[in-house]
Amino acid sequence: VNGVIYDPNPLRIGDNSLAVPKAFWKMISNEAEGYKECFLYQNDLNAITVGDTLESHLVDCYTDLDNIPKSTKVIPSLVPIIFAILF
């Protein structure tokens, strides 16, 4: 499951006024194996990418993703039912 996080009043770009996400998240899960990992990427033009690793974006699925403010617009790209359970 993955999705994006928008500020309440996001930056908009282009002729169609496309909203720019504040961050992106991804959850990889296998319930049969008891495996779940979550990753959070801030949308930052000034991000330092040298030495950046996947592990540096690893977050706790239960606390970090649960702490996304309910007022934040979060739009899942897959499985809306799972998304509703998580948030």
Side-chain angles (χ1 to χ4, degrees), residues 1-4 25-27 75-84 86:
V1 178
N2 56 3
V4 295
W25 61 268
K26 181 161 196 77
M27 174 184 285
I75 301 172
S77 61
L78 295 172
V79 196
I81 293 171
I82 293 174
F83 174 80
L86 294 174

Side-chain angles (χ1 to χ4, degrees), residues 31-48:
E31 288 188 25
E33 297 294 326
Y35 176 82
K36 184 183 289 186
E37 285 191 331
C38 295
F39 302 89
L40 183 65
Y41 289 83
Q42 298 295 325
N43 192 4
D44 181 0
L45 289 175
N46 298 313
I48 299 171

Side-chain angles (χ1 to χ4, degrees), residues 9-23:
N9 294 308
L11 170 68
R12 296 191 172 271
I13 58 172
D15 293 338
N16 293 320
S17 193
L18 180 68
V20 177
K22 173 181 172 180

Side-chain angles (χ1 to χ4, degrees), residues 34-71:
Y35 176 82
K36 184 183 289 186
E37 285 191 331
C38 295
F39 302 89
L40 183 65
Y41 289 83
Q42 298 295 325
N43 192 4
D44 181 0
L45 289 175
N46 298 313
I48 299 171
T49 58
V50 174
D52 189 24
T53 64
L54 185 63
E55 289 79 17
S56 68
H57 298 278
L58 188 63
V59 296
D60 184 284
C61 297
Y62 298 101
T63 58
D64 294 323
L65 291 183
D66 283 344
N67 287 327
I68 294 171
K70 301 295 186 225
S71 62

